[in-house]
Amino acid sequence: MTRKKATTKDEVEVLLTSRRRCALCFGLRGDLGIKDGQVAHLDRDPSNNSPENLCFLCLVDHETYDRRSRQAKGFTPQELAAYRDALYASLATHPELLWMSGTASPHVRRKAKERWDAALYERQLVIYRATRDFMAAVVREGKVKFEDLSRFASATDEVVFLFDDDMSNYLSELYRKGVRLEYVNKRLERGDAAPDRPALIEEEGQLLTWFTEQFSVLLRKAVPFMRP
Ligand SMILES: [Zn+2]
């Protein structure tokens, strides 16, 4: 029984950068599917483990690449390198897949990072605007409508991935106060002479004041994320 040799750091980089997409499947057939495969050596020398010499190939293509044939012209290292680089460039159009890994060229990585940052910024902006619009609706109407609450909740449910815990807790607090204000609004609209009516009127005023003050709080919390 043979022991499998340990995976080197460079091989791990190849697996991460290729996302287990085969360079020949992609280069010859436009196939970006995830494959069972291996890390191949472009120069067919298994002792040469420099990153430029490594490439992920599916099992079938690895077999084909390493086979020596007297009749057919085999694949050259230059071809494989070209297909590999094209694959990495293509994966760069999915920046969330690529920018954190290491073997792509610095240029490709920088481009991918820029696209990723731009996409992240857009999504953060959506959350910021939804929150600001929710506050504006509450302050404008002087009350919370159920539709505004649910729109706010669904537009901001990714906050935990796109901002930090502080922002996430803050939006939860906004939501909780919104739910409470909606309840207080409803109780007061009923117009019954409940004994706690004066307390509810007082609480409604306090909540509305609190909402009015949140525009600057939101801005202060969001700015560190939104500045390049
Ligand atoms: Zn393949």
Side-chain angles (χ1 to χ4, degrees):
M1 198 175 121
T2 55
R3 243 180 107 233
K4 266 194 164 175
K5 75 177 170 61
T7 307
T8 67
K9 189 171 152 290
D10 287 333
E11 285 174 334
V12 170
E13 281 300 308
V14 169
L15 295 173
L16 286 172
T17 307
S18 66
R19 259 62 199 180
R20 293 184 183 259
R21 271 71 174 181
C22 168
L24 286 178
C25 284
F26 173 73
L28 300 173
R29 298 179 278 274
D31 176 357
L32 264 179
I34 297 167
K35 297 289 150 69
D36 287 336
Q38 293 156 338
V39 176
H41 295 82
L42 270 65
D43 65 0
R44 301 180 173 93
D45 172 3
S47 68
N48 179 2
N49 286 311
S50 75
E52 313 81 66
N53 192 48
L54 299 176
C55 174
F56 184 79
L57 289 179
C58 73
L59 296 173
V60 173
D61 283 329
H62 195 184
E63 165 86 24
T64 307
Y65 186 76
D66 281 352
R67 194 191 309 136
R68 310 281 170 124
S69 165
R70 285 177 200 283
Q71 289 84 33
K73 174 91 182 134
F75 287 106
T76 66
Q78 291 78 10
E79 280 176 285
L80 184 52
Y83 293 143
R84 177 197 61 194
D85 295 346
L87 171 68
Y88 289 172
S90 171
L91 288 171
T93 63
H94 303 274
E96 70 280 14
L97 292 179
L98 186 70
W99 71 264
M100 58 285 260
S101 60
T103 48
S105 75
H107 175 72
V108 167
R109 279 163 52 80
R110 192 164 52 248
K111 280 278 162 221
K113 177 80 165 67
E114 280 168 17
R115 282 200 207 97
W116 167 253
D117 286 346
L120 177 65
Y121 179 81
E122 282 303 314
R123 294 169 78 186
Q124 286 172 328
L125 203 57
V126 166
I127 289 181
Y128 170 79
R129 286 185 177 142
T131 306
R132 187 202 54 194
D133 291 350
F134 173 61
M135 290 174 184
V138 172
V139 170
R140 189 176 59 241
E141 307 282 329
K143 61 180 186 178
V144 172
K145 284 188 288 187
F146 181 75
E147 310 87 77
D148 291 334
L149 257 183
S150 56
R151 194 178 310 122
F152 169 60
S154 66
T156 59
D157 66 350
E158 287 185 333
V159 62
V160 67
F161 308 118
L162 302 175
F163 291 88
D164 61 1
D165 286 349
D166 178 56
M167 186 65 126
S168 185
N169 292 336
Y170 176 61
L171 296 199
S172 296
E173 185 186 9
L174 268 172
Y175 182 76
R176 278 197 310 276
K177 298 231 186 207
V179 169
R180 178 65 193 174
L181 182 54
E182 197 222 5
Y183 169 81
V184 172
N185 294 151
K186 283 260 162 62
R187 285 285 313 276
L188 288 172
E189 273 167 23
R190 262 188 249 156
D192 52 13
D196 58 352
R197 192 172 171 82
L200 289 174
I201 292 172
E202 169 80 16
E203 188 181 354
E204 187 181 51
Q206 283 172 357
L207 282 167
L208 282 172
T209 306
W210 186 84
F211 269 99
T212 310
E213 292 161 354
Q214 296 315 302
F215 292 99
S216 58
V217 178
L218 173 67
L219 199 59
R220 198 172 63 237
K221 287 180 185 293
V223 157
F225 293 96
M226 316 301 285
R227 283 217 175 115

